[in-house]
Amino acid sequence: MFPQPNTRLRRRMFVDISFVLLMLLLGATSTHATEITIWNFNDSDLLADFGTGTLMSDFNVANILFAAGTTTNARLGAPAGQALSLQGGTGTANNGRNITFSVSTLGFANIIVSFATQGTSTGFNANQFQYSLDGLTFVNFGSPYTPATAFGSTPVIFNLSAIPGLNDNPSAAFRIVFNGSTSSTGNNRLDNLVIEGTAATATIPEPTTALLLLTGLTGILGLKRKRQVAAQRARPPGLDRN
């Protein structure tokens, strides 16, 4: 026994529509974040360890140190190694000072900044994260944060996906302003500073667009089916068995 023409056509239409849906899904943007720049401080310097970017500070040089780090938020298999350690300084002169990291986000959107941190009881306990669209003017993002007294398993995360001006921006920059230190040796440590984002060039079809496309294709397939049915009826009996 052979399938009737209508049965074969229905199967063919199912295959065709399934193929269209698959192509729509494959054309969607991946939501997986990609590391743009990483500082793990294992070389005991302020140079980026992955990607490109600059990290600068107006702290007194004597109070920019390196101490034992962590694997929290570590990427690309980096060991615990070292962490950046910032001290209050003589007369707590470093209160109100900052670290600034500039990273081009060209080709990326949905920017996220994350890092591991800890602070001593007399270290900086009111730290403000900021962002800049031009590398010059900085805007507060969220409320000041207080580091835990030890590196935990969860990093501090700033999700900047709601700031479209940071997307695909060669002048993007970020800053942490440190305040609240009460002694010269009170300190904060930062480790595994990561800037990441998703690809900015690919786009996910809007639901309405995808629905219209699928409706149009279904209509074309329906017309194709009618033509095939008409052709089947016009053929002499038995030819569809070959």
Side-chain angles (χ1 to χ4, degrees):
M1 297 293 294
F2 291 87
Q4 293 300 312
N6 287 348
T7 301
R8 290 203 306 273
L9 288 172
R10 283 195 295 269
R11 290 179 181 175
R12 179 61 182 273
M13 286 184 65
F14 175 79
V15 171
D16 289 344
I17 293 174
S18 298
F19 178 78
V20 171
L21 289 173
L22 179 61
M23 291 300 98
L24 288 174
L25 291 173
L26 291 177
T29 301
S30 171
T31 58
H32 295 296
T34 299
E35 290 89 357
I36 304 171
T37 307
I38 300 172
W39 284 268
N40 59 40
F41 305 108
N42 288 344
D43 295 326
S44 298
D45 59 36
L46 301 183
L47 300 177
D49 298 285
F50 173 83
T52 58
T54 59
L55 193 159
M56 300 180 294
S57 177
D58 60 355
F59 270 63
N60 291 328
V61 175
N63 303 124
I64 301 175
L65 306 172
F66 298 91
T70 179
T71 57
T72 298
N73 209 45
R75 306 297 176 91
L76 307 178
Q82 298 289 93
L84 176 64
S85 180
L86 302 171
Q87 293 182 328
T90 302
T92 63
N94 292 317
N95 278 326
R97 297 187 178 180
N98 67 77
I99 62 169
T100 299
F101 35 108
S102 303
V103 176
S104 170
T105 63
L106 281 176
F108 293 94
N110 303 312
I111 306 303
I112 295 175
V113 176
S114 59
F115 52 87
T117 187
Q118 70 170 35
T120 63
S121 60
T122 58
F124 306 99
N125 60 16
N127 305 329
Q128 180 64 58
F129 180 80
Q130 302 176 332
Y131 69 89
S132 174
L133 305 183
D134 59 8
L136 300 172
T137 303
F138 286 82
V139 179
N140 288 347
F141 184 81
S143 302
Y145 71 89
T146 301
T149 56
F151 287 123
S153 59
T154 304
V156 174
I157 300 174
F158 293 99
N159 187 332
L160 297 148
S161 58
I163 312 297
L166 288 172
N167 299 340
D168 205 29
N169 186 341
S171 301
F174 311 92
R175 175 175 287 177
I176 303 172
V177 180
F178 296 85
N179 276 296
S181 176
T182 56
S183 78
S184 60
T185 57
N187 65 82
N188 282 181
R189 296 185 195 179
L190 288 90
D191 204 3
N192 302 318
L193 174 58
V194 179
I195 294 86
E196 57 193 324
T198 57
T201 52
T203 56
I204 299 175
E206 296 180 1
T208 302
T209 302
L211 180 59
L212 288 173
L213 176 60
L214 184 57
T215 301
L217 290 171
T218 302
I220 292 172
L221 292 174
L223 180 60
K224 178 181 177 182
R225 179 190 173 216
K226 290 180 180 178
R227 290 176 177 173
Q228 289 178 332
V229 168
Q232 287 287 350
R233 289 175 177 171
R235 294 170 65 185
L239 289 182
D240 61 338
R241 298 173 180 265
N242 294 329

